[in-house]
Amino acid sequence: MAPYYLFKNHSPKIFKEPNFFWFVVAFLLWSITATHCFAQQDKKSIPLKEYLKQIEQEASIYFIYESNLLEPYFVEKPTPSKLSVEKKITYALKKTFLEYKKISPNTYAIIRKIKDVKIYGTVNDLKGSPLVGATVKLEGLDIGTVTNIDGKYELAIKPGKWNLEASYVGYFFSQETVELSEDTLVQLDFVLKDLPPLEQVVVVGSRLRSISLLKNTVASDMVNATRIPHSSNSELGQLLQNSVPSFHSTHQTISDGTDHIDPSTLKGLGSDQVLVLINGKRRHHSSLVNVNGTIGRGAVATDLNAIPIAAIERIEVLRDGAATEYGSDAIAGVINIILKENYGFIDVDVLGGICTKGDGGTAHISGNHGFKLGDKGGFLNATIDFHFRGATDRSGDYTGPIFGDERDEDQELVEAFFEQIDLKDRHVMPIGQAESINSGFFLNMEIPIKDNFQWYAFGGLNFRQGKSGAFYRFPYDSLKQSGIYPFGFAPQIRSDILDGSVAFGLKGNINEWKVDLSNVYGGNRFLFNVKNSNNASMGLNSPTAAEAGGFSYNQNVLNLDLRRKLNGRLPFSLGVGVESRIENYIQKSGEEASWKYYGATDEEGNPREAGFQAFPGFRPENEVDQYRLNFGAYADIQVEPLKSLLLGGASRYEFYSDFGSNLSWKLYGRYQLAEKTYLRSTVHTGFRAPSMPQIYFSSTTTQFVSSEREQVAASVTHFNNSSPIARQFGIEELGAERSMSYNLGLASEYFKRFSFSVDAYQIDIKDRIVITGRFAANRDTKFENILAPINVSQAQFFTNAVDTRTRGMDFSLSYRLPLDKSEFTFSGVGNWTQTKVKEDEAGNKIINTSPFLEGFEEVLFNREEISRIEVAQPSSKIILSTIFKNRRIETYIGVTRYGSLHYIHPEDGKSENWVRNMYTDQIESRDQHFSAKWLTDLHIRYQVSNRYS
């Protein structure tokens, strides 16, 4: 509307006259026609034979062709100038059914184009069901197509003898040889058998080649197209939570921004110790650092829920460190998301649900459609996605003070108060998932080009709005009130999250080297808005909403990867590569009203609180705009000295512009014990560079800390790592986390229809980066001397505080029972993990501290923070499932056991700090134990037709 509005209101009057308008249109049409006619008159057509003779004379070359072959054709003159001989010939033949072949340096043959032969058919599974999106291609060439909604395909290829391959994720590929002559129409159908789980091929874990889960040298999982439909989850994090036993991600509550970006972990380690890839390329992480009391506190996670499930073909989970292959962040493992490549049909999913409590309603709509690009297998696959997630509330009724005087004893007055305010019952702080609206799109494209190369691109954009609640501000708490809410108020934290990425690259073969050159750009922006709140220090002049600032993180990765297999007496595979990464972190301040103190006091002269309640905005001194440059070079080599033995080694050098360099290495091997039974092992180092938010984030926030009987709000200043205050506290510049890992596994399909794998691991991590506890000015005079002059009551920092050891085991087993036109599959997967902060000989936790903070180790990293590393996540997860499939019906029954976990109170390590339990009337610890839980899932799908289920 804007251009139209500007034209309508600001154009000269003459342009509004009807006669003048039609005159202009007529003049333009005449001009175009006249120009075209003059251009045609200037062109002269000559016979093709005469044109080729002119080229022979100009370039001293010769043409050979059958008599009368050129008779029907003419060439328009003038011809383009300054063209090569080949381009002039191509120009001459472009509107003919002819082509040329160079048979000697000076001789060209003009021949008829060979007509393509049409080959068609279907690709089905053993039950006769069509496989939608299966790939049919020529062996050794990047020419192919995919099946449509009915499992049908068509492919035009030149006459000759060809090997055709049909493949589909989760199935054995099938190969047929055909000999084709001109003017034929050939039907070729394929029937694919289901792959046993360990025969599925993954690309993650090796820079050298794709390999099956059975033969992989490292432990891996796969969530493929046959597993994804069994989940009613519309968010990627929850799908992985319910599918991969070593993965953990849940919605958080009352944790500011972490309510809207779920932290995720692998093998119980940090959210920033798992690397996410898309199509094998590094994905950017979020700009949000988790500073509240949640899983992943102090870490920066990748926002998995910004990637729509409908765009995903399969997910590969590498359960082993991969710093040598992929660089920083891969200490715990790698999640590689492979996007869909199918085209020719539309896939629409509609999902709705609600909790039995009547809240938490969800609505999800997604659409996926692929477009064919050219005749050589090019495609564009597009996904759109919309997801609404309603809030849940599992809090109890409030029984505390309201007015702070004798009125609290008047039950009628209390009842009348709760009737006046907009709350569910007496739930004054919602405990449960936050409300969010999540929408976006994703694209995946590939186009074959000349000389066996493919140009590819993928990426997407995601926008999310979140709304979470905070503790109700009651009338009794007058210092939090500006006076505009006589009955108090329930603040709301709103988030605006924008997440986008784009990747493009070129891959192909050059002299037996497989080459992949790519560039990936991605970024995440997180902005806070606070509504239904106030700045108490402004009094009645306070607004009720304010922008509180936010962050953005941007990353650009340029990568060149080369690999080849060398055959000789001792055949080996070699892979090398270089990578550069530029990172940018920005923190912006909020509106002045969101953070400033304006001087208002209560009736007794006490200063009212500054900043917006629930989330004071970031201040101008928090603003930062910093860049970092990273360069890496890596090499990987594999050799098979025996038919049953594979050995390999890899190394990677990384340089960071802000903290230095790192060299990591890896040794690995696989030995075949028996038919389809392999023993595997890896030993490797790893590292994780401190993220930019961990280095540069700073804030003054309200955090809930443990008091005698409740969580109470406290104002805490977080100083960034380059702050002079950090140095005065003895906090050194952040260094990289470094790891040493050992893995041993066994995988077997020795028994018919039964497969299993088991892997044990140990991961030692030095100098883990954590958020310290809160150093209060009133705790010690040396703290007061630092904090009092800058008017700060409590301070915290990021530091390399602890060393940890993680030990665990993964297992998987599967049994398939085929019946007549149907099949049962029984499977079980599980993980057990235990992480411990390292101890001295006396059994005390070792907290790395400076001389200035000696004696304050329990403040630097107390038992509550230690428990977040050790026992705050389920210690185990076991998923048992049964799938029944026939042509029309598919049923999934799964039971999941989540292991026990604990909450550890920061002050209750000593019994003298225990308090009386108001329910049991006993003096006891506030530590809590949560026992293991079993959850059951049942999914039934009925295939009405090939198009609807």
Side-chain angles (χ1 to χ4, degrees):
M1 293 299 291
Y4 170 75
Y5 175 84
L6 291 173
F7 179 82
K8 177 181 177 183
N9 291 279
H10 302 284
S11 57
K13 183 178 180 180
I14 190 171
F15 287 107
K16 301 177 185 179
E17 297 293 334
N19 292 336
F20 182 81
F21 171 78
W22 289 114
F23 172 77
V24 171
V25 170
F27 177 78
L28 289 174
L29 290 174
W30 178 85
S31 300
I32 294 170
T33 305
T35 303
H36 178 72
C37 292
F38 288 132
Q40 292 297 321
Q41 289 178 5
D42 189 55
K43 290 184 178 180
K44 296 180 180 180
S45 297
I46 63 172
L48 174 60
K49 183 183 294 187
E50 184 179 332
Y51 179 79
L52 294 181
K53 286 182 179 179
Q54 292 180 9
I55 297 178
E56 284 181 325
Q57 295 172 359
E58 294 171 0
S60 300
I61 60 172
Y62 301 95
F63 292 104
I64 57 175
Y65 43 83
E66 296 178 7
S67 60
N68 302 322
L69 185 64
L70 311 184
E71 291 299 331
Y73 302 115
F74 288 80
V75 180
E76 294 177 347
K77 292 276 286 182
T79 59
S81 60
K82 298 180 181 180
L83 293 181
S84 65
V85 171
E86 283 80 5
K87 287 186 178 179
K88 287 184 177 180
I89 301 172
T90 301
Y91 171 79
L93 302 180
K94 69 179 180 178
K95 293 184 178 181
T96 72
F97 292 98
L98 307 176
E99 61 184 355
Y100 75 89
K101 287 193 175 181
K102 189 174 183 179
I103 57 178
S104 75
N106 297 315
T107 306
Y108 294 81
I110 307 299
I111 60 176
R112 290 187 179 90
K113 287 183 179 178
I114 300 175
K115 294 182 180 179
D116 288 343
V117 180
K118 185 177 180 181
I119 187 167
Y120 70 97
T122 61
V123 181
N124 296 326
D125 63 14
L126 286 174
K127 300 184 292 297
S129 300
L131 295 176
V132 181
T135 300
V136 180
K137 63 181 294 187
L138 298 181
E139 181 188 17
L141 297 176
D142 290 301
I143 298 175
T145 186
V146 296
T147 56
N148 64 15
I149 193 71
D150 298 309
K152 297 179 180 179
Y153 74 93
E154 290 183 357
L155 188 62
I157 55 180
K158 296 189 180 300
K161 190 174 182 180
W162 301 100
N163 291 328
L164 259 71
E165 294 179 352
S167 60
Y168 190 67
V169 176
Y171 291 79
F172 282 107
F173 80 91
S174 178
Q175 187 179 85
E176 298 287 345
T177 302
V178 292
E179 191 161 357
L180 307 173
S181 57
E182 286 192 60
D183 303 319
T184 58
L185 188 66
V186 177
Q187 179 175 354
L188 183 61
D189 297 327
F190 293 91
V191 177
L192 304 187
K193 298 179 181 179
D194 289 28
L195 271 174
L198 294 183
E199 291 286 357
Q200 299 182 74
V201 175
V202 294
V203 298
V204 72
S206 173
R207 286 282 190 179
L208 300 178
R209 57 180 173 174
S210 303
I211 196 168
S212 70
L213 295 174
L214 176 67
K215 296 182 180 180
N216 207 343
T217 57
V218 290
S220 304
D221 293 316
M222 181 187 289
V223 181
N224 61 27
T226 63
R227 175 66 183 88
I228 291 175
H230 300 144
S231 173
S232 60
N233 300 114
S234 54
E235 295 176 313
L236 178 55
Q238 294 306 295
L239 171 66
L240 291 171
Q241 168 79 348
N242 295 328
S243 306
V244 180
S246 57
F247 179 88
H248 180 76
S249 178
T250 57
H251 300 315
Q252 303 299 310
T253 184
I254 312 298
S255 53
D256 297 342
T258 312
D259 283 3
H260 309 124
I261 294 183
D262 301 337
S264 54
T265 67
L266 202 61
K267 297 192 290 194
L269 295 175
S271 300
D272 46 12
Q273 292 167 339
V274 54
L275 177 64
V276 177
L277 310 175
I278 296 185
N279 286 351
K281 306 301 180 183
R282 174 182 283 264
R283 174 78 170 174
H284 62 276
H285 57 64
S286 165
S287 59
L288 175 75
V289 60
N290 302 312
V291 297
N292 278 17
T294 67
I295 296 298
R297 173 173 159 85
V300 179
T302 299
D303 188 2
L304 292 173
N305 295 335
I307 307 166
I309 293 177
I312 298 173
E313 174 65 32
R314 68 183 188 275
I315 306 163
E316 303 171 351
V317 181
L318 175 65
R319 294 181 275 108
D320 189 14
T324 51
E325 291 92 344
Y326 303 108
S328 176
D329 304 349
I331 288 177
V334 177
I335 297 173
N336 185 28
I337 298 165
I338 307 297
L339 301 176
K340 288 180 178 177
E341 300 181 355
N342 55 268
Y343 51 81
F345 60 90
I346 299 174
D347 189 0
V348 178
D349 287 300
V350 180
L351 174 69
I354 196 168
C355 296
T356 56
K357 299 283 188 180
D359 59 4
T362 61
H364 180 226
I365 302 173
S366 65
N368 177 266
H369 182 42
F371 304 88
K372 185 177 181 180
L373 302 178
D375 297 322
K376 296 184 178 181
F379 65 87
L380 170 63
N381 187 276
T383 301
I384 58 174
D385 187 83
F386 172 82
H387 177 228
F388 169 79
R389 185 185 76 193
T392 59
D393 182 8
R394 298 295 176 265
S395 60
D397 289 347
Y398 177 72
T399 58
I402 297 173
F403 305 101
D405 53 33
E406 67 278 357
R407 289 176 291 176
D408 292 337
E409 305 301 323
D410 188 335
Q411 291 302 312
E412 291 185 5
L413 196 58
V414 170
E415 291 288 345
F417 172 83
F418 281 106
E419 290 176 3
Q420 291 280 345
I421 62 177
D422 184 21
L423 288 178
K424 176 186 175 183
D425 300 325
R426 298 189 181 187
H427 296 187
V428 299
M429 184 171 70
I431 304 296
Q433 70 182 17
E435 178 183 311
S436 72
I437 297 175
N438 192 342
S439 59
F441 69 89
F442 237 81
L443 302 174
N444 187 30
M445 179 169 62
E446 186 171 302
I447 301 176
I449 57 178
K450 194 176 179 180
D451 298 329
N452 200 30
F453 266 82
Q454 300 90 47
W455 183 85
Y456 61 88
F458 59 87
L461 190 66
N462 175 266
F463 179 69
R464 186 177 314 150
Q465 289 184 316
K467 181 173 72 174
S468 58
F471 190 84
Y472 195 89
R473 268 55 173 180
F474 284 100
Y476 80 87
D477 208 343
S478 61
L479 298 183
K480 301 181 186 300
Q481 307 279 351
S482 64
I484 60 178
Y485 296 105
F487 292 97
F489 57 97
Q492 292 180 351
I493 301 175
R494 305 288 185 96
S495 63
D496 291 322
I497 307 170
L498 184 65
D499 195 290
S501 66
V502 59
F504 53 89
L506 191 67
K507 62 182 179 180
N509 299 326
I510 300 179
N511 296 330
E512 298 184 2
W513 284 92
K514 291 187 180 295
V515 181
D516 188 347
L517 175 65
S518 66
N519 190 87
V520 184
Y521 173 81
N524 176 276
R525 188 197 69 189
F526 197 117
L527 300 179
F528 290 96
N529 292 279
V530 186
K531 296 183 181 297
N532 198 42
S533 184
N534 68 203
N535 183 330
S537 72
M538 294 181 72
L540 296 176
N541 294 321
S542 173
T544 60
E547 296 179 0
F551 335 92
S552 68
Y553 171 80
N554 302 284
Q555 171 184 280
N556 191 83
V557 181
L558 179 64
N559 177 273
L560 175 62
D561 190 67
L562 304 98
R563 55 193 172 97
R564 70 172 296 182
K565 188 171 183 178
L566 298 167
N567 296 313
R569 281 186 187 177
L570 196 63
F572 66 92
S573 299
L574 175 66
V576 294
V578 291
E579 182 175 277
S580 70
R581 186 165 78 249
I582 300 174
E583 300 172 85
N584 172 228
Y585 175 71
I586 300 173
Q587 184 173 349
K588 298 190 74 69
S589 62
E591 294 180 54
E592 184 181 271
S594 71
W595 57 268
K596 189 174 180 178
Y597 175 66
Y598 288 90
T601 61
D602 65 5
E603 295 176 353
E604 299 177 358
N606 298 310
R608 299 184 186 272
E609 290 188 13
F612 256 56
Q613 292 295 312
F615 192 90
F618 298 116
R619 306 175 182 223
E621 56 264 32
N622 300 136
E623 289 197 341
V624 68
D625 186 350
Q626 291 286 341
Y627 285 85
R628 175 165 76 182
L629 175 66
N630 160 261
F631 173 79
Y634 51 88
D636 192 352
I637 186 169
Q638 278 185 9
V639 63
E640 297 185 59
L642 302 172
K643 187 177 180 180
S644 59
L645 179 64
L646 181 146
L647 298 174
S651 184
R652 185 184 187 100
Y653 172 79
E654 296 256 5
F655 171 78
Y656 283 82
S657 60
D658 56 354
F659 81 89
S661 60
N662 178 80
L663 179 67
S664 57
W665 56 266
K666 182 175 188 176
L667 299 175
Y668 57 93
R670 185 196 69 213
Y671 182 70
Q672 185 173 1
L673 296 173
E675 182 182 2
K676 292 190 175 184
T677 302
Y678 296 88
L679 182 69
R680 59 195 179 204
S681 182
T682 63
V683 179
H684 57 87
T685 62
F687 81 105
R688 189 189 72 80
S691 66
M692 293 194 75
Q694 288 177 326
I695 298 173
Y696 296 111
F697 169 80
S698 64
S699 69
T700 297
T701 60
T702 299
Q703 298 184 22
F704 282 90
V705 300
S706 298
S707 184
E708 288 193 3
R709 287 191 176 275
E710 59 182 350
Q711 298 281 306
V712 298
S715 179
V716 181
T717 298
H718 182 106
F719 293 95
N720 71 28
N721 189 248
S722 59
S723 166
I725 303 299
R727 299 296 171 267
Q728 292 181 52
F729 272 85
I731 304 296
E732 298 179 353
E733 291 185 8
L734 290 178
E737 300 174 344
R738 304 177 190 276
S739 67
M740 185 75 189
S741 300
Y742 309 88
N743 300 266
L744 181 65
L746 178 68
S748 177
E749 285 181 351
Y750 182 81
F751 302 101
K752 188 176 182 180
R753 304 194 189 101
F754 177 77
S755 61
F756 75 92
S757 68
V758 60
D759 294 90
Y761 54 84
Q762 176 177 298
I763 307 170
D764 293 324
I765 305 177
K766 288 181 61 64
D767 300 325
R768 287 187 65 165
I769 300 173
V770 299
I771 295 181
T772 69
R774 295 163 289 272
F775 295 97
N778 61 7
R779 187 173 188 119
D780 192 277
T781 54
K782 61 183 180 181
F783 300 160
E784 185 178 11
N785 292 337
I786 298 173
L787 299 177
I790 57 175
N791 198 28
V792 171
S793 58
Q794 297 189 56
Q796 66 182 29
F797 315 89
F798 276 106
T799 185
N800 299 91
V802 293
D803 304 337
T804 63
R805 168 167 289 177
T806 299
R807 286 175 170 166
M809 181 183 71
D810 292 290
F811 75 87
S812 69
L813 53 90
S814 176
Y815 177 73
R816 293 145 52 92
L817 179 62
L819 303 173
D820 184 27
K821 296 184 179 180
S822 62
E823 181 182 69
F824 278 98
T825 301
F826 306 94
S827 65
V829 292
N831 167 264
W832 170 83
T833 292
Q834 182 185 68
T835 298
K836 292 289 186 183
V837 174
K838 290 193 175 180
E839 302 174 346
D840 59 21
E841 295 179 355
N844 300 313
K845 302 295 184 182
I846 300 174
I847 310 298
N848 304 325
T849 187
S850 64
F852 181 83
L853 294 176
E854 283 185 4
F856 294 94
E857 286 81 3
E858 290 190 5
V859 180
L860 179 68
F861 205 62
N862 63 35
R863 65 194 301 266
E864 180 184 24
E865 299 304 327
I866 291 172
S867 74
R868 294 193 206 283
I869 291 177
E870 294 188 338
V871 294
Q873 299 183 65
S875 56
S876 62
K877 190 199 300 185
I878 299 172
I879 305 172
L880 306 175
S881 64
T882 300
I883 300 175
F884 170 78
K885 292 192 296 185
N886 64 19
R887 185 175 174 82
R888 293 292 183 190
I889 298 176
E890 188 168 341
T891 303
Y892 171 87
I893 302 175
V895 290
T896 304
R897 181 188 185 275
Y898 293 91
S900 61
L901 53 88
H902 302 266
Y903 166 74
I904 303 298
H905 193 279
E907 299 174 0
D908 284 10
K910 300 177 181 179
S911 57
E912 56 263 31
N913 293 333
W914 294 3
V915 298
R916 185 177 300 278
N917 187 319
M918 60 189 301
Y919 299 103
T920 64
D921 201 36
Q922 300 293 319
I923 301 295
E924 55 190 50
S925 171
R926 287 161 289 185
D927 295 351
Q928 298 179 55
H929 169 77
F930 300 89
S931 59
K933 298 294 180 184
W934 289 88
L935 298 181
T936 303
D937 291 288
L938 171 64
H939 303 281
I940 300 174
R941 183 170 64 172
Y942 180 72
Q943 194 77 27
V944 180
S945 67
N946 289 345
R947 289 172 168 78
Y948 302 98
S949 63

